[in-house]
Amino acid sequence: MEMKDQAIIVTGGASGIGREACLALAGKGANLIVADFNIDGAKAVAAEAEALGVKAFAYKVDVSKAEDVEALVEFAVEKLGTLNGMFNNAGIGLVKPFLEMDPASYLKVIEVDQHSVYYGLYYGAKKMVALGAKGTFVNTASIYGSVAARGSFNYNAAKAAVVSMSRSGALELAEHGIRVVGVAPGFIDTPILGEDESVKAPLAAQHMHNRLIQPEKVASVVAFLFTDAASAINGATVPVDDGFLSFKV
């Protein structure tokens, strides 16, 4: 088990990519903090992870609040004894035309999708350095961190910042034995899309294989990025987009 006894925090761990990442990491032997605002969902995922033979604890967190993320890091060390990394995955979307995107609508997404990644990196890395622990941060960016999309000015801005923070964080933290990388999913088949094929089909058509990406496909890449096999990947944001960024026309 490549990650046996490693201690990893996963935010947004109650569903979608976060849930699948928790299970993939648990499958590699990592002990987990499943953090989410949806505490019931987090508890359910923690139970699934424990069934794979690891320690897992649920924690309710509002990642848009610095003090909540700081407390999350402290909880992780209290329960797991150390900290070896964090999957900064929690995020939201709020689609509006730019001229209707008032400051409150803009900041709601920025605070969750961008500021939370800074909080995770800052408090997580400070704790790891204090403990003398080495490890990895993986941050969820998006294909929309590299290209524009109508109605998503806030989301585009936040995810572009995540790409940049992953790069800059890697540079700043390398001397402490800490890697920082990003992952940029394409269109993922999660419940947030609903069951309306008229919504899903146009998104799927933008991938090379004309289908939505299953969340476990992203999770497998995330889990790999935490392992020593990925130690030469640092500062980069890895697309998991079925060719969207390379071949979209």
Side-chain angles (χ1 to χ4, degrees):
M1 301 180 79
E2 300 164 273
M3 296 184 65
K4 184 173 173 57
D5 297 327
Q6 296 283 295
I8 306 294
I9 297 169
V10 177
T11 68
S15 62
I17 293 170
R19 172 185 176 273
E20 297 297 335
C22 286
L23 299 181
L25 290 164
K28 291 182 179 293
N31 297 320
L32 300 171
I33 302 298
V34 184
D36 204 291
F37 193 74
N38 173 8
I39 187 60
D40 290 336
K43 287 178 179 178
V45 174
E48 289 184 272
E50 285 189 323
L52 297 174
V54 303
K55 297 176 184 176
F57 300 89
Y59 188 87
K60 184 173 183 176
V61 65
D62 180 348
V63 295
S64 71
K65 296 180 178 178
E67 61 271 22
D68 271 31
V69 179
E70 182 178 19
L72 165 62
V73 169
E74 294 296 334
F75 177 83
V77 175
E78 174 190 338
K79 291 296 185 180
L80 302 179
T82 189
L83 183 63
N84 302 107
M86 190 166 180
F87 180 28
N88 290 306
N89 169 66
I92 61 171
L94 180 62
V95 177
K96 283 188 176 183
F98 177 68
L99 293 178
E100 297 175 18
M101 192 169 289
D102 55 277
S105 299
Y106 172 77
L107 288 171
K108 184 173 182 177
V109 171
I110 294 296
E111 288 169 352
V112 175
D113 292 16
Q114 177 180 335
H115 292 174
S116 70
V117 174
Y118 158 69
Y119 299 147
L121 282 171
Y122 178 71
Y123 290 112
K126 280 180 71 73
K127 180 59 67 175
M128 288 170 66
V129 170
L131 293 170
K134 296 176 172 56
T136 304
F137 288 83
V138 180
N139 305 317
T140 297
S142 168
I143 52 175
Y144 285 163
S146 299
V147 298
R150 291 184 183 276
S152 296
F153 181 91
N154 47 7
Y155 189 81
N156 295 159
K159 294 304 185 178
V162 172
V163 172
S164 183
M165 285 191 286
S166 299
R167 203 162 41 225
S168 298
L171 178 64
E172 296 270 2
L173 296 172
E175 65 187 272
H176 301 289
I178 296 172
R179 286 190 302 121
V180 185
V181 295
V183 62
F187 300 111
I188 310 302
D189 191 7
T190 63
I192 197 170
L193 291 182
E195 298 300 325
D196 187 345
E197 287 301 321
S198 69
V199 173
K200 297 167 75 169
L203 300 178
Q206 296 181 67
H207 292 148
M208 288 293 287
H209 289 98
N210 296 304
R211 63 187 179 217
L212 296 175
I213 299 166
Q214 297 304 308
E216 58 266 29
K217 299 297 185 182
V218 182
S220 65
V221 174
V222 170
F224 167 72
L225 289 171
F226 276 104
T227 68
D228 187 62
S231 61
I233 303 174
N234 202 4
T237 294
V238 179
V240 187
D241 64 350
D242 193 14
F244 178 96
L245 291 176
S246 297
F247 303 109
K248 182 175 181 292
V249 293

